[in-house]
Amino acid sequence: MVELKTDRSIDEMRAAGRVVAHALAAVRESARVGVSLQELDRVARAVLREAGASSPFLGYRPHFAPVPFPGVICASVNDAIVHGVPGGYRLRDGDLVSIDCGAKLGGWVGDAAVSFTVGRARPADLRLIQAAEAALAAGIAAAVPGNRIGDIAHAIGTVCRGAGYGIPDGFGGHGVGRAMHEDPGVPNEGPPGRGMRLRPGMVLAIEPMLIAGGTDDYACDGDGWTLRTVDGSRAAHAEHTVAITADGPRILTAL
């Protein structure tokens, strides 16, 4: 079931989204060579705490997970695609880092992700990140009333495949609202003109995930959470929470 949010509710979701934006900005600013993923998690926790927000990630345990998620951010490095556990790994020169963060404030959730490099960047990593951001922008541009979920999926997939990158099978975006994961699902690839029609009041997390090697294969680490590329190539992830409005898409997790 899809809940259509009122204008007031979307404004309240924007407040939660702003917390996410500030948390991601603080983490990115703190991400330097030698800093651990646990330290980055503590940076995000401090932002959430100061804003009076809670984390929809911390303690989250879907059916596939052997243990509840232990952090407020997902920190995925290099060949980790998504859901990386923020542990003791210390960032190294040239690492590609994807950070996913959520916040719950006033009963509403915001969810976003960003990818960036630490130290001296590889040109191939910068191209991968640029493609992830372009795919996200294309998906957001298609998020208008009258279009369908498939139009978002097609826009994202066209950018990803056109650049020669893989898309992890079975993972994509989702509805957002009172809970972090709501209906409908938002695939990162598919035919246009298919799926649920977009209506004002729908709020979606649009989140392309790209695999540099061009394959769609992934495997899960022993922690039960971290998804990695099978071929060892690097991955990037970009995400915003977006409201469908009569005036066009409204990004709720932008600074």
Side-chain angles (χ1 to χ4, degrees), residues 17-95:
R18 191 175 286 112
V19 175
V20 174
H22 285 298
L24 288 174
V27 168
R28 184 169 187 166
E29 177 68 23
S30 301
R32 299 181 299 275
V33 173
V35 174
S36 74
L37 301 183
Q38 288 174 331
E39 290 173 310
L40 296 183
D41 189 73
R42 287 196 288 271
V43 168
R45 288 177 190 243
V47 174
L48 267 61
R49 183 169 57 250
E50 184 176 349
S54 60
S55 170
F57 289 17
L58 184 63
Y60 179 60
R61 188 178 184 182
H63 65 88
F64 62 80
V67 295
F69 194 76
V72 304
I73 61 170
C74 295
S76 306
V77 181
N78 296 333
D79 63 335
I81 306 168
V82 287
H83 303 164
V85 174
Y89 177 84
R90 294 190 176 277
L91 295 173
R92 301 171 184 174
D93 187 42
D95 277 347

Side-chain angles (χ1 to χ4, degrees), residues 1-212:
M1 178 178 176
V2 176
E3 176 191 4
L4 298 180
K5 281 73 174 178
T6 64
D7 290 346
R8 178 177 178 180
S9 294
I10 291 173
D11 286 341
E12 292 173 350
M13 291 191 71
R14 169 61 178 145
R18 191 175 286 112
V19 175
V20 174
H22 285 298
L24 288 174
V27 168
R28 184 169 187 166
E29 177 68 23
S30 301
R32 299 181 299 275
V33 173
V35 174
S36 74
L37 301 183
Q38 288 174 331
E39 290 173 310
L40 296 183
D41 189 73
R42 287 196 288 271
V43 168
R45 288 177 190 243
V47 174
L48 267 61
R49 183 169 57 250
E50 184 176 349
S54 60
S55 170
F57 289 17
L58 184 63
Y60 179 60
R61 188 178 184 182
H63 65 88
F64 62 80
V67 295
F69 194 76
V72 304
I73 61 170
C74 295
S76 306
V77 181
N78 296 333
D79 63 335
I81 306 168
V82 287
H83 303 164
V85 174
Y89 177 84
R90 294 190 176 277
L91 295 173
R92 301 171 184 174
D93 187 42
D95 277 347
L96 192 166
V97 184
S98 297
I99 302 292
D100 193 350
C101 184
K104 190 167 189 177
L105 184 68
W108 296 103
V109 172
D111 185 11
V114 63
S115 293
F116 54 87
T117 58
V118 174
R120 291 169 294 182
R122 300 181 183 183
D125 289 345
L126 296 180
R127 290 194 296 270
L128 179 65
I129 293 169
Q130 183 179 37
E133 293 172 348
L136 175 59
I140 292 172
V144 296
N147 271 359
R148 295 183 179 271
I149 291 291
D151 295 311
I152 298 176
H154 180 70
I156 293 171
T158 297
V159 173
C160 296
R161 298 299 188 189
Y165 298 125
I167 302 170
D169 186 42
F171 285 86
H174 49 87
V176 186
R178 296 285 183 183
M180 180 168 56
H181 292 132
E182 296 184 352
D183 291 333
V186 186
N188 285 329
E189 188 174 32
R194 301 282 295 276
M196 183 178 293
R197 190 173 296 279
L198 303 179
R199 299 169 58 191
M202 295 175 67
V203 180
L204 308 173
I206 300 174
E207 51 176 324
M209 308 161 195
L210 283 64
I211 297 175

